[in-house]
Amino acid sequence: QVQLDQWGTGLLKPSETLTLTCGVKGDSLPGYWWNWSRQSPGKGLEWIGEINERGSATYNPSLKSRVTMSVDTSKNQFSLKLTSVTAADTAVYYCAKASYLWGTYRGFDPWGQGTLVTVSS
Amino acid sequence: EILLTQSPDTLSLSPGERATLSCRASQSVGTSLTWYQQKPGQPPRLLIAAASSRASGVPARFSGSGSETDFTLTISSLEPEDFAVYYCQQRTSWPPSLTFGGGTKVEIK
């Protein structure tokens, strides 16, 4: 059974850099796209971006200038960096695995447990 | 950006009743539409992929339908554990795009 465990700094000051990592257990990185999304308190979900095992990444245009994703295949994990954070970046951040079957997108499954990141001075 | 509009915002129903949730896309997404269920304090759970394909372990009372711009998630007979928030999501390959709907809360009447 695939399990995603995520960790990172939960409290940041404005202008700092958010860094989160997601470790993959029970599966390997090749063959899938590894995603980050976030959910602001009491609000809906926002996709941040995705990356594959070769390091090829696609980002949400609204966040692209501040986002960098990376992979470490030796540790079977992938990471998110978001620079110059503000209070608007306060949210629960989730990692998730995206799969395709015969070219058809099959959704995010599973998801990590979520990490609450608070930006406050 | 493709926008997804879910309706209604809230659905108040009793256990045993049928729930019908709508998701409308601002432009065609083919059948690249996914449904998730989310309960408080938990990550979303995959229910339906490719508009109508139930994910592994999802009960048969959940079904999805639709294509292009109009999609529906139906819960045929609500169980107590089905009261939650439901989100739709679209994924298009070119240009690369992924967005979520605003969610529909199914609450106990």
Side-chain angles (χ1 to χ4, degrees), chain A residues 5 7 18 20 26 30 39 44-45 50 55-56 58 82 90-91 102-103 105 116 118 121:
Chain A
D5 292 324
W7 63 91
L18 177 159
L20 296 173
Q39 186 170 32
L45 290 153
E50 64 180 4
S56 176
T58 302
L82 180 67
T90 294
W102 302 113
Y105 173 64
L116 175 60
T118 302
S121 56

Side-chain angles (χ1 to χ4, degrees), chain A residues 37 39 43-47 50 58 94 100 104-109 111-112, chain B residues 1 32 34 36 38 42-44 46 49-50 53 87 89 91 96-98 100:
Chain A
S37 299
Q39 186 170 32
K43 295 186 180 179
L45 290 153
E46 180 181 30
W47 178 65
E50 64 180 4
T58 302
Y94 293 102
Y100 291 79
T104 299
Y105 173 64
R106 303 296 296 182
F108 288 178
D109 183 43
W111 295 61
Chain B
E1 177 182 279
S32 189
T34 309
Y36 300 90
Q38 187 178 33
Q42 297 182 17
L46 176 66
S53 178
Y87 293 96
Q89 176 204 59
R91 178 72 169 99
S97 168
L98 191 154
F100 291 92

